[in-house]
Amino acid sequence: LGLTMLGGLLHILVYFLVGWGHSDGAVFPISQPDSLLYFQSARQIARGMAFEYTPGSGVSTGSTTHLYPFILAIPYALGATGDALPLAGFLINALFYLGFIGCWVLEVFKLVPSSLGRVFACLMLVLSGQSAYTAASQSDMGLFMLVSSGMLAAVLYNRWTLFGFLLALAPWCRPEGVPMALLFVLVAFASRLIVKLTIPCRAWICGGVGAASAAGVFVFNHWRTGDWQFQSVLNKG
């Protein structure tokens, strides 16, 4: 675990140095335009105008995520405003990435029986450029990576309270969290009916909480905007 986390820290350090080297020394660079949308949303939240992208424009759910801008609003409210917010966002996503790696190391120890296999799996994990880039690009995916990997770790280690909390949180992190919550209930039913697997009561409770949370996202969207879907993905194929 220690060596894998050290590899993750080196990944973050390389991204930081390369990114800072391509800046003018004043603003930490970002790799995609969506990050600016989240920064703008965070600023509006800190100013007391949540879900209003620009003052007077009306309420919008165009950020694809309800939770992530609120997380970014914390450093903004603490003083990381203007050019400092991209750097604060990078550091937050670095923590998400380290948490993601830590969860997968725990999962490797449960899923891979041999010591050599575990070493190889952890090596592949820490060498995954896609995972590091996804977190470093400062979208809402860094948060979702942490939540989704935490869900699997919670199931493997029989931590159902933690799993239920993360399952309920997932729909508010990314739209993909909605089908994840609903599919868990469907898989539980299929496992019970088809292969006669005994599903613990705690799992059913978690599934119900997750499904209710997923439905709550659509209710919240409709309450705020009149559209059930996120306006960021409305009318997409």
Side-chain angles (χ1 to χ4, degrees):
L1 175 62
L3 290 175
T4 307
M5 297 298 285
L6 178 60
L9 283 171
L10 290 175
H11 235 149
I12 293 169
L13 179 61
V14 169
Y15 269 91
F16 176 82
L17 293 176
V18 171
W20 199 258
H22 284 77
S23 72
D24 59 2
V27 183
F28 190 81
I30 58 173
S31 58
Q32 61 170 340
D34 282 3
S35 301
L36 296 172
L37 303 178
Y38 301 126
F39 295 151
Q40 175 79 352
S41 296
R43 182 177 69 175
Q44 291 298 95
I45 291 169
R47 292 179 174 180
M49 293 179 283
F51 300 101
E52 189 172 338
Y53 184 70
T54 54
S57 63
V59 175
S60 169
T61 55
S63 290
T64 312
T65 171
H66 289 321
L67 183 58
Y68 181 58
F70 281 87
I71 294 176
L72 285 178
I74 296 174
Y76 187 96
L78 293 176
T81 61
D83 296 342
L85 189 56
L87 178 58
F90 178 85
L91 296 177
I92 289 174
N93 279 277
L95 294 177
F96 292 157
Y97 173 65
L98 292 176
F100 167 81
I101 287 181
C103 287
W104 270 105
V105 171
L106 294 176
E107 291 150 15
V108 163
F109 272 78
K110 276 288 187 179
L111 297 173
V112 182
S114 69
S115 298
L116 183 60
R118 290 171 179 174
V119 170
F120 179 76
C122 290
L123 183 63
M124 296 302 293
L125 172 66
V126 80
L127 291 178
S128 172
Q130 176 64 31
S131 300
Y133 170 77
T134 300
S137 62
Q138 300 196 50
S139 71
D140 51 356
M141 280 303 300
L143 173 62
F144 193 72
M145 287 166 56
L146 174 61
V147 170
S148 58
S149 61
M151 287 167 56
L152 179 57
V155 169
L156 292 176
Y157 284 86
N158 205 31
R159 299 291 191 267
W160 288 102
T161 301
L162 176 60
F163 173 76
F165 171 75
L166 295 176
L167 188 66
L169 198 66
W172 302 88
C173 298
R174 282 280 304 178
E176 292 89 339
V178 173
M180 286 181 68
L182 300 178
L183 284 171
F184 176 77
V185 178
L186 294 177
V187 169
F189 272 109
S191 301
R192 179 69 179 87
L193 297 175
I194 298 174
V195 299
K196 308 302 181 181
L197 183 67
T198 300
I199 306 299
C201 180
R202 293 168 295 175
W204 290 116
I205 294 174
C206 290
V209 171
S213 178
V217 170
F218 293 104
V219 173
F220 180 84
N221 289 342
H222 190 268
W223 169 58
R224 297 297 293 171
T225 66
D227 293 315
W228 296 96
Q229 182 59 284
F230 284 92
Q231 291 180 332
S232 56
V233 296
L234 196 64
N235 299 321
K236 286 190 176 180

